[in-house]
Amino acid sequence: MPTTASSEHKDPQSVGIVETKIARFDSLTLDNGEIISPLEVAYETYGTLSAKKDNAILVCHALSGDAHAAGFHEGDKRPGWWDFYIGPGKAFDTNKYFIISSNVIGGCKGSSGPLTISSETNKAYRSSFPFVSIVDMVRAQEVLVSSFGIETLFAVAGGSMGGMQALQWSVAYPDRMKNCIVMASTAEHSAQQIAFNEVGRQAILADPNWNNGMYEDSTKPSKGLALARMMGHITYLSDEMMRDKFGRKPPKGNIQTTDFAVGSYLIYQGESFVDRFDANSYIYVTKALDHYSLGTGKELTKALSVVKCRFLVVAYTSDWLYPPYQSEEIVKSLEVNAIPVIFVELNNPAGHDSFLLQSEEQDSIIKDFLEFTDDPDGVIYG
């Protein structure tokens, strides 16, 4: 199976020009018994798989992410979503590790989902695509990983929804991974987190163009999806970040649209999101998030009792969408099970999006954790 594209780029720490590829498999049986056939998984790889195939790291993306985690697509000016941390000499050092990044099923960036063309109708499935869970997303990733001949992953890592996927890997395939990195995430959504997603979904459903999810490309529920993104984006930033960036400043340009700069920013975020994401996928993925649950307290401790890998759990003081207490619940349950775990709470003012943003401290924490893999107590953070 083909892997990485070119590594030529001006920045010596960049993986260079890359391309997203599609792996095709016969089928995948979902948790609800429905079958996706054929199964398509969009993916990218960076670095070289070792002869023993023991240096592979799977990175999992958040709600609106995709397989393009690092490097540049031909002609693009912006790199992949985790480019700060993937590349030669970076946290996920491509001189050492073989990085795999795939798009979740149910999404809209190349993997099987609502935009997939049905062989029966020769049209996109849209809302007739089967419900997909976090468990199903991970199962599809396992099929992809196995296709490389990889029996054991060196690590699985991700933030937010990606952290849920990493956590699910640790309980679904405990013998197939050595390290797990969970950032700004949780073992299950709280009522408040479900509420935010429900408002976004209702905005889409209220759009006149929704048409029960069977809309055409020319008449998409763009306004509803934009509003959903605006709502979601508010939760990604902290109060401090928004206060410092916008305050009560007026917008630039036409004030008939909004009275404040923060409003202008949110409108831009919503409108630009419509150009790169699908309304059905937004509903599918947010529902997968809301339905995922390993429980809390004793239930979570029991769920994590099968885990065999080391953990790095990272939380952010300013993250009010996935507050640190949810990360601490995961850590406590791991400790009860005597699972080696390092917990770090970073005082980053950027809010939930902190795990995506460049940080030398975060880069160092991830790098040290992976380097001290044979010595759980070899790296300590205050």
Side-chain angles (χ1 to χ4, degrees), residues 186-188 293-305 325-326 328-337:
T186 181
E188 71 170 20
S293 175
L294 290 180
T296 58
K298 292 182 179 179
E299 186 181 6
L300 178 58
T301 299
K302 182 179 179 181
L304 295 179
S305 64
Y325 82 83
Q326 291 185 313
E328 291 172 2
E329 287 182 347
I330 296 171
V331 172
K332 289 176 182 177
S333 289
L334 290 169
E335 290 176 336
V336 170
N337 285 302

Side-chain angles (χ1 to χ4, degrees), residues 22-320:
I22 305 293
R24 293 178 175 84
F25 307 96
D26 289 340
S27 64
L28 180 74
T29 301
L30 304 176
D31 246 13
N32 58 17
E34 296 200 56
I35 297 174
I36 297 176
S37 180
L39 169 68
E40 295 184 334
V41 181
Y43 73 97
E44 292 185 7
T45 65
Y46 323 102
T48 303
L49 185 61
S50 64
K52 294 183 178 179
K53 299 185 177 181
D54 59 357
N55 68 331
I57 296 177
L58 176 69
V59 297
C60 307
H61 67 74
L63 191 158
S64 62
D66 52 33
H68 184 39
F72 294 81
H73 285 164
E74 197 71 53
D76 282 357
K77 295 182 179 180
R78 296 182 63 180
W81 56 269
W82 231 9
D83 190 73
F84 291 130
Y85 299 101
I86 300 173
K90 297 179 182 179
F92 297 102
D93 190 346
T94 51
N95 289 330
K96 297 180 180 180
Y97 310 117
F98 177 66
I99 312 299
I100 305 170
S101 174
S102 68
N103 180 222
V104 298
I105 57 173
C108 55
K109 298 299 182 69
S111 293
S112 296
L115 293 184
T116 300
I117 302 301
S118 167
S119 58
E120 295 182 3
T121 65
N122 205 32
K123 294 183 178 181
Y125 278 99
R126 304 295 185 187
S127 57
S128 67
F129 193 76
F131 173 80
V132 171
S133 68
I134 296 292
V135 173
D136 295 322
M137 294 174 181
V138 168
R139 189 172 294 138
Q141 291 167 352
E142 188 277 332
V143 172
L144 176 67
V145 168
S146 294
S147 73
F148 287 97
I150 298 167
E151 294 183 359
T152 304
L153 288 163
F154 184 74
V156 181
S160 194
M161 186 180 82
M164 291 185 186
Q165 295 165 60
L167 195 61
Q168 177 59 27
W169 260 93
S170 75
V171 298
Y173 306 104
D175 295 311
R176 300 197 58 185
M177 57 190 293
K178 292 184 176 180
N179 300 286
C180 187
I181 301 176
V182 177
M183 310 172 73
S185 196
T186 181
E188 71 170 20
H189 269 186
S190 66
Q192 185 184 61
Q193 289 159 338
I194 293 172
F196 286 134
N197 282 340
E198 188 60 39
V199 171
R201 290 191 291 265
Q202 290 299 323
I204 294 171
L205 297 180
D207 191 297
N209 289 336
W210 170 240
N211 193 31
N212 292 318
M214 302 305 289
Y215 47 84
E216 299 294 334
D217 288 339
S218 58
T219 55
K220 297 187 291 187
S222 298
K223 187 63 176 179
L225 180 58
L227 287 171
R229 181 59 173 181
M230 289 170 67
M231 178 66 211
H233 205 80
I234 293 170
T235 68
Y236 303 153
L237 305 177
S238 69
D239 175 60
E240 180 180 353
M241 174 68 74
M242 296 181 82
R243 186 171 63 248
D244 291 345
K245 190 172 184 176
F246 305 109
R248 295 178 56 82
K249 298 175 185 176
K252 296 179 180 179
N254 187 358
I255 63 170
Q256 293 181 3
T257 305
T258 177
D259 292 340
F260 297 96
V262 67
S264 179
Y265 170 77
L266 290 174
I267 291 170
Y268 167 77
Q269 290 294 331
E271 292 178 347
S272 61
F273 187 66
V274 167
D275 294 331
R276 66 181 181 88
F277 214 77
D278 174 63
N280 269 308
S281 284
Y282 192 91
I283 289 176
Y284 275 69
V285 176
T286 57
K287 282 190 175 183
L289 279 165
D290 291 344
H291 283 274
Y292 183 67
S293 175
L294 290 180
T296 58
K298 292 182 179 179
E299 186 181 6
L300 178 58
T301 299
K302 182 179 179 181
L304 295 179
S305 64
V306 300
V307 170
K308 297 181 180 179
C309 63
R310 297 166 65 241
F311 266 78
L312 169 64
V313 179
V314 182
Y316 306 89
T317 302
S318 62
D319 185 356
W320 62 280

